[in-house]
Amino acid sequence: MEALLLERFHEALTLDEIAADSHVSTDHLSREFRKHFGVTVSEYVRQLRLDFACTQLARGSESLAAIAEAAGFADQSHFTRVFRRRMGLTPGAYRSQLRADRSCSKD
């Protein structure tokens, strides 16, 4: 199940699909997943998407809309809302901060 999520976090997987792939009921999946990982399946997937987005933001010049799409967010505004809520700043500000940090370290 974890491998499925790691491979397909960018897709709009349903709990039913994940449970069927694991050959368990959705209730069992939800309960056991939370016990094992300490978060819900959707929180876990959201974090995978954010981790991916942070890596893409650090790499450079890809547009925020393209990163949002590649990470599996509904659109750029959804990406920005989730990112700001979790990281405390917008994706654009995060990227700018990374660039500023890199330029300071080259002195």
Side-chain angles (χ1 to χ4, degrees):
M1 160 187 29
E2 184 179 13
L4 172 73
L5 296 177
L6 290 169
E7 286 176 28
R8 298 177 57 193
F9 67 87
H10 59 280
E11 297 177 28
L13 291 172
T14 66
L15 200 54
D16 288 333
E17 290 172 314
I18 298 165
D21 184 74
S22 301
H23 307 289
V24 297
S25 71
T26 56
D27 289 339
H28 180 76
L29 171 67
S30 296
R31 199 171 36 254
E32 293 302 313
F33 194 92
R34 188 168 186 92
K35 272 188 214 176
H36 185 74
F37 292 99
V39 294
T40 65
V41 174
S42 61
E43 289 168 335
Y44 186 84
V45 169
R46 196 173 303 116
Q47 189 57 53
L48 291 174
R49 289 175 177 177
L50 287 172
D51 291 345
F52 172 83
C54 285
T55 300
Q56 296 304 307
L57 289 166
R59 284 196 173 142
S61 61
E62 196 170 359
S63 73
L64 297 180
I67 292 170
E69 182 180 344
F73 290 98
D75 54 36
Q76 183 179 338
S77 66
H78 179 231
F79 170 46
T80 299
R81 277 193 315 276
V82 171
F83 195 94
R84 180 186 288 137
R85 193 176 311 128
R86 183 67 170 201
M87 304 296 287
L89 66 168
T90 65
Y94 179 85
R95 177 184 273 167
S96 295
Q97 186 175 9
L98 289 173
R99 286 180 179 159
D101 290 347
R102 273 192 239 136
S103 67
C104 290
S105 65
K106 291 181 181 179
D107 293 340

